[in-house]
């Protein structure tokens, strides 16, 4: 389907598609994309899918704030309100999870040492 619909565009750009600069950029992007996938798996393994989703949403909100500052994107009241709602909700979720983790740690008894009956 790609060749059928985009064949003419591909043929007109063949010299750019075979350049070392293009493949270098594609390789770097592929490496970072693969790395993000590994970090995602590790984050979900250490926390939960919900925590991963919330951290991803907070990251996107921070990126939007950076776009306002760095590139001078036009802001609206609803856009800024939405960003701060996301960041505030993420902060509240973080505090709730920290409280739950602290309660779980204090409720867990320390590990018992086994008595083997041997004298050393």
């Amino acid at each position: 389907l790609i060749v059928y619909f985009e064949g003419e565009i591909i043929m007109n750009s063949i010299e750019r598609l075979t350049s070392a600069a293009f493949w270098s950029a594609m390789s770097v992007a592929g490496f970072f994309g693969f790395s993000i996938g590994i970090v995602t798996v590790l984050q979900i393994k250490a926390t939960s899918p919900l925590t991963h989703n919330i951290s991803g949403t907070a990251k996107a909100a921070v990126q939007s704030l950076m776009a306002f500052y760095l590139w001078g994107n036009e802001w609206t009241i609803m856009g800024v309100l939405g960003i701060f709602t996301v960041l505030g909700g993420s902060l509240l979720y973080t505090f709730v999870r920290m409280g739950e983790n602290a309660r779980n740690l204090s409720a867990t008894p320390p590990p018992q040492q086994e008595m083997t009956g041997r004298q050393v």
Side-chain angles (χ1 to χ4, degrees):
L1 288 175
I2 293 172
V3 172
Y4 179 75
F5 288 108
E6 304 293 333
E8 185 178 336
I9 294 170
I10 292 171
M11 293 311 292
N12 291 337
S13 304
I14 197 72
E15 49 287 332
R16 283 184 272 170
L17 292 174
T18 57
S19 72
F22 173 77
W23 285 106
S24 296
M26 290 295 287
S27 297
V28 169
F31 171 77
F32 282 116
F34 183 75
S35 299
I36 288 171
I38 290 173
V39 169
T40 298
V41 169
L42 293 173
Q43 183 183 24
I44 291 173
K45 193 175 180 181
T47 59
S48 70
L50 178 61
T51 301
H52 169 71
N53 194 339
I54 289 174
S55 70
T57 303
K59 179 190 71 150
V62 170
Q63 287 174 334
S64 296
L65 281 177
M66 289 172 56
F68 290 139
Y69 179 73
L70 294 175
W71 292 287
N73 287 10
E74 197 171 320
W75 61 274
T76 63
I77 296 296
M78 293 301 287
V80 172
L81 183 65
I83 288 170
F84 283 108
T85 300
V86 165
L87 292 176
S90 299
L91 185 65
L92 288 173
Y93 177 80
T94 301
F95 286 138
V96 168
R97 288 294 293 185
M98 285 172 56
E100 287 176 356
N101 288 341
R103 277 195 307 269
N104 289 342
L105 284 177
S106 65
T108 305
Q112 299 281 329
Q113 291 185 357
E114 291 185 25
M115 300 289 287
T116 59
R118 291 187 294 170
Q119 293 182 355
V120 180

